[in-house]
PDB file of all heavy atoms in Angstrom:
ATOM      1  N   TYR A  80     218.533 144.852  -5.464  1.00 69.00           N
ATOM      2  CA  TYR A  80     217.456 144.704  -4.360  1.00 69.00           C
ATOM      3  C   TYR A  80     217.335 143.278  -3.884  1.00 69.00           C
ATOM      4  O   TYR A  80     216.241 142.700  -4.149  1.00 69.00           O
ATOM      5  CB  TYR A  80     216.219 145.348  -4.770  1.00 69.00           C
ATOM      6  CG  TYR A  80     216.284 146.805  -5.207  1.00 69.00           C
ATOM      7  CD1 TYR A  80     216.530 147.173  -6.384  1.00 69.00           C
ATOM      8  CD2 TYR A  80     216.222 147.820  -4.118  1.00 69.00           C
ATOM      9  CE1 TYR A  80     216.635 148.506  -6.896  1.00 69.00           C
ATOM     10  CE2 TYR A  80     216.456 149.213  -4.499  1.00 69.00           C
ATOM     11  CZ  TYR A  80     216.601 149.516  -5.819  1.00 69.00           C
ATOM     12  OH  TYR A  80     216.661 150.822  -6.146  1.00 69.00           O
ATOM     13  N   PRO A  81     218.376 142.533  -3.430  1.00 70.00           N
ATOM     14  CA  PRO A  81     218.228 141.129  -3.081  1.00 70.00           C
ATOM     15  C   PRO A  81     217.182 140.911  -2.071  1.00 70.00           C
ATOM     16  O   PRO A  81     216.548 139.831  -1.891  1.00 70.00           O
ATOM     17  CB  PRO A  81     219.646 140.776  -2.663  1.00 70.00           C
ATOM     18  CG  PRO A  81     220.196 142.001  -2.076  1.00 70.00           C
ATOM     19  CD  PRO A  81     219.600 143.083  -2.917  1.00 70.00           C
ATOM     20  N   HIS A  82     217.042 141.713  -1.003  1.00 68.00           N
ATOM     21  CA  HIS A  82     216.074 141.519   0.120  1.00 68.00           C
ATOM     22  C   HIS A  82     214.692 141.402  -0.348  1.00 68.00           C
ATOM     23  O   HIS A  82     213.810 140.757   0.139  1.00 68.00           O
ATOM     24  CB  HIS A  82     216.344 142.449   1.315  1.00 68.00           C
ATOM     25  CG  HIS A  82     217.681 142.467   1.773  1.00 68.00           C
ATOM     26  ND1 HIS A  82     218.226 141.486   2.421  1.00 68.00           N
ATOM     27  CD2 HIS A  82     218.700 143.427   1.757  1.00 68.00           C
ATOM     28  CE1 HIS A  82     219.439 141.678   2.779  1.00 68.00           C
ATOM     29  NE2 HIS A  82     219.818 142.923   2.478  1.00 68.00           N
ATOM     30  N   GLU A  83     214.338 142.368  -1.286  1.00 70.00           N
ATOM     31  CA  GLU A  83     212.953 142.240  -1.866  1.00 70.00           C
ATOM     32  C   GLU A  83     212.661 141.094  -2.515  1.00 70.00           C
ATOM     33  O   GLU A  83     211.546 140.566  -2.343  1.00 70.00           O
ATOM     34  CB  GLU A  83     212.662 143.472  -2.721  1.00 70.00           C
ATOM     35  CG  GLU A  83     212.560 144.900  -2.046  1.00 70.00           C
ATOM     36  CD  GLU A  83     213.853 145.517  -1.817  1.00 70.00           C
ATOM     37  OE1 GLU A  83     214.966 144.831  -1.883  1.00 70.00           O
ATOM     38  OE2 GLU A  83     213.943 146.773  -1.593  1.00 70.00           O
ATOM     39  N   TYR A  84     213.546 140.605  -3.281  1.00 70.00           N
ATOM     40  CA  TYR A  84     213.354 139.236  -3.948  1.00 70.00           C
ATOM     41  C   TYR A  84     213.349 138.114  -3.054  1.00 70.00           C
ATOM     42  O   TYR A  84     212.940 137.061  -3.490  1.00 70.00           O
ATOM     43  CB  TYR A  84     214.388 139.114  -5.131  1.00 70.00           C
ATOM     44  CG  TYR A  84     213.997 139.975  -6.328  1.00 70.00           C
ATOM     45  CD1 TYR A  84     214.395 141.354  -6.432  1.00 70.00           C
ATOM     46  CD2 TYR A  84     213.261 139.386  -7.377  1.00 70.00           C
ATOM     47  CE1 TYR A  84     213.987 142.017  -7.577  1.00 70.00           C
ATOM     48  CE2 TYR A  84     212.989 140.147  -8.492  1.00 70.00           C
ATOM     49  CZ  TYR A  84     213.291 141.424  -8.534  1.00 70.00           C
ATOM     50  OH  TYR A  84     212.922 142.219  -9.754  1.00 70.00           O
ATOM     51  N   ALA A  85     213.960 138.233  -1.869  1.00 71.00           N
ATOM     52  CA  ALA A  85     213.935 137.131  -0.926  1.00 71.00           C
ATOM     53  C   ALA A  85     212.688 136.859  -0.197  1.00 71.00           C
ATOM     54  O   ALA A  85     212.372 135.874   0.402  1.00 71.00           O
ATOM     55  CB  ALA A  85     215.025 137.339   0.106  1.00 71.00           C
ATOM     56  N   LEU A  86     211.712 137.826  -0.367  1.00 77.00           N
ATOM     57  CA  LEU A  86     210.403 137.773   0.374  1.00 77.00           C
ATOM     58  C   LEU A  86     209.454 137.101  -0.596  1.00 77.00           C
ATOM     59  O   LEU A  86     208.608 137.715  -1.242  1.00 77.00           O
ATOM     60  CB  LEU A  86     209.908 139.116   0.661  1.00 77.00           C
ATOM     61  CG  LEU A  86     210.677 140.053   1.812  1.00 77.00           C
ATOM     62  CD1 LEU A  86     210.139 141.337   1.938  1.00 77.00           C
ATOM     63  CD2 LEU A  86     210.541 139.239   3.069  1.00 77.00           C
ATOM     64  N   ASP A  87     209.510 135.814  -0.696  1.00 81.00           N
ATOM     65  CA  ASP A  87     208.626 134.989  -1.367  1.00 81.00           C
ATOM     66  C   ASP A  87     208.004 133.832  -0.425  1.00 81.00           C
ATOM     67  O   ASP A  87     208.583 133.586   0.571  1.00 81.00           O
ATOM     68  CB  ASP A  87     209.224 134.476  -2.665  1.00 81.00           C
ATOM     69  CG  ASP A  87     210.151 133.293  -2.385  1.00 81.00           C
ATOM     70  OD1 ASP A  87     209.808 132.176  -1.819  1.00 81.00           O
ATOM     71  OD2 ASP A  87     211.371 133.482  -2.650  1.00 81.00           O
ATOM     72  N   THR A  88     206.914 133.288  -0.934  1.00 86.00           N
ATOM     73  CA  THR A  88     206.122 132.483  -0.062  1.00 86.00           C
ATOM     74  C   THR A  88     206.954 131.164   0.218  1.00 86.00           C
ATOM     75  O   THR A  88     206.862 130.695   1.346  1.00 86.00           O
ATOM     76  CB  THR A  88     204.867 132.001  -0.820  1.00 86.00           C
ATOM     77  OG1 THR A  88     204.075 133.166  -1.166  1.00 86.00           O
ATOM     78  CG2 THR A  88     203.944 131.082   0.000  1.00 86.00           C
ATOM     79  N   GLY A  89     207.669 130.763  -0.635  1.00 87.00           N
ATOM     80  CA  GLY A  89     208.400 129.445  -0.456  1.00 87.00           C
ATOM     81  C   GLY A  89     209.532 129.659   0.773  1.00 87.00           C
ATOM     82  O   GLY A  89     209.595 128.686   1.571  1.00 87.00           O
ATOM     83  N   ARG A  90     210.173 130.690   0.670  1.00 87.00           N
ATOM     84  CA  ARG A  90     211.162 130.906   1.769  1.00 87.00           C
ATOM     85  C   ARG A  90     210.499 131.109   3.105  1.00 87.00           C
ATOM     86  O   ARG A  90     210.949 130.663   4.156  1.00 87.00           O
ATOM     87  CB  ARG A  90     212.034 132.193   1.370  1.00 87.00           C
ATOM     88  CG  ARG A  90     213.026 132.012   0.321  1.00 87.00           C
ATOM     89  CD  ARG A  90     213.968 133.162   0.006  1.00 87.00           C
ATOM     90  NE  ARG A  90     214.931 132.879  -0.965  1.00 87.00           N
ATOM     91  CZ  ARG A  90     214.778 133.212  -2.308  1.00 87.00           C
ATOM     92  NH1 ARG A  90     213.651 133.868  -2.609  1.00 87.00           N
ATOM     93  NH2 ARG A  90     215.703 133.061  -3.157  1.00 87.00           N
ATOM     94  N   ILE A  91     209.407 131.876   3.058  1.00 90.00           N
ATOM     95  CA  ILE A  91     208.680 132.112   4.420  1.00 90.00           C
ATOM     96  C   ILE A  91     208.228 130.844   4.888  1.00 90.00           C
ATOM     97  O   ILE A  91     208.348 130.585   6.101  1.00 90.00           O
ATOM     98  CB  ILE A  91     207.502 133.138   4.137  1.00 90.00           C
ATOM     99  CG1 ILE A  91     208.080 134.519   3.772  1.00 90.00           C
ATOM    100  CG2 ILE A  91     206.617 133.139   5.372  1.00 90.00           C
ATOM    101  CD1 ILE A  91     207.012 135.450   3.416  1.00 90.00           C
ATOM    102  N   ARG A  92     207.510 129.896   4.141  1.00 92.00           N
ATOM    103  CA  ARG A  92     207.062 128.681   4.524  1.00 92.00           C
ATOM    104  C   ARG A  92     208.207 127.806   5.063  1.00 92.00           C
ATOM    105  O   ARG A  92     208.062 126.942   5.990  1.00 92.00           O
ATOM    106  CB  ARG A  92     206.378 127.953   3.475  1.00 92.00           C
ATOM    107  CG  ARG A  92     204.986 128.585   3.216  1.00 92.00           C
ATOM    108  CD  ARG A  92     204.251 127.727   2.167  1.00 92.00           C
ATOM    109  NE  ARG A  92     202.878 128.304   1.954  1.00 92.00           N
ATOM    110  CZ  ARG A  92     201.808 127.955   2.787  1.00 92.00           C
ATOM    111  NH1 ARG A  92     201.928 127.106   3.729  1.00 92.00           N
ATOM    112  NH2 ARG A  92     200.588 128.328   2.489  1.00 92.00           N
ATOM    113  N   LYS A  93     209.424 127.967   4.515  1.00 93.00           N
ATOM    114  CA  LYS A  93     210.555 127.138   4.908  1.00 93.00           C
ATOM    115  C   LYS A  93     210.886 127.486   6.377  1.00 93.00           C
ATOM    116  O   LYS A  93     211.229 126.519   7.182  1.00 93.00           O
ATOM    117  CB  LYS A  93     211.721 127.344   3.992  1.00 93.00           C
ATOM    118  CG  LYS A  93     213.073 126.696   4.459  1.00 93.00           C
ATOM    119  CD  LYS A  93     214.109 126.944   3.475  1.00 93.00           C
ATOM    120  CE  LYS A  93     215.486 126.422   3.903  1.00 93.00           C
ATOM    121  NZ  LYS A  93     215.980 127.136   5.181  1.00 93.00           N
ATOM    122  N   HIS A  94     210.882 128.781   6.651  1.00 94.00           N
ATOM    123  CA  HIS A  94     211.236 129.209   8.120  1.00 94.00           C
ATOM    124  C   HIS A  94     210.048 128.766   9.092  1.00 94.00           C
ATOM    125  O   HIS A  94     210.200 128.370  10.147  1.00 94.00           O
ATOM    126  CB  HIS A  94     211.360 130.720   8.154  1.00 94.00           C
ATOM    127  CG  HIS A  94     212.562 131.241   7.237  1.00 94.00           C
ATOM    128  ND1 HIS A  94     213.820 130.658   7.217  1.00 94.00           N
ATOM    129  CD2 HIS A  94     212.727 132.201   6.425  1.00 94.00           C
ATOM    130  CE1 HIS A  94     214.563 131.223   6.541  1.00 94.00           C
ATOM    131  NE2 HIS A  94     213.984 132.240   5.889  1.00 94.00           N
ATOM    132  N   LEU A  95     208.843 128.939   8.532  1.00 95.00           N
ATOM    133  CA  LEU A  95     207.787 128.532   9.476  1.00 95.00           C
ATOM    134  C   LEU A  95     207.797 127.056   9.734  1.00 95.00           C
ATOM    135  O   LEU A  95     207.524 126.644  10.974  1.00 95.00           O
ATOM    136  CB  LEU A  95     206.498 128.944   8.836  1.00 95.00           C
ATOM    137  CG  LEU A  95     206.073 130.452   8.668  1.00 95.00           C
ATOM    138  CD1 LEU A  95     204.807 130.700   8.035  1.00 95.00           C
ATOM    139  CD2 LEU A  95     206.242 131.183  10.061  1.00 95.00           C
TER     140      LEU A  95
END
Side-chain angles (χ1 to χ4, degrees):
Y80 299 95
H82 299 297
E83 286 86 343
Y84 278 87
L86 291 174
D87 68 66
T88 304
R90 289 187 174 94
I91 293 174
R92 286 186 175 275
K93 174 179 176 294
H94 298 316
L95 293 177

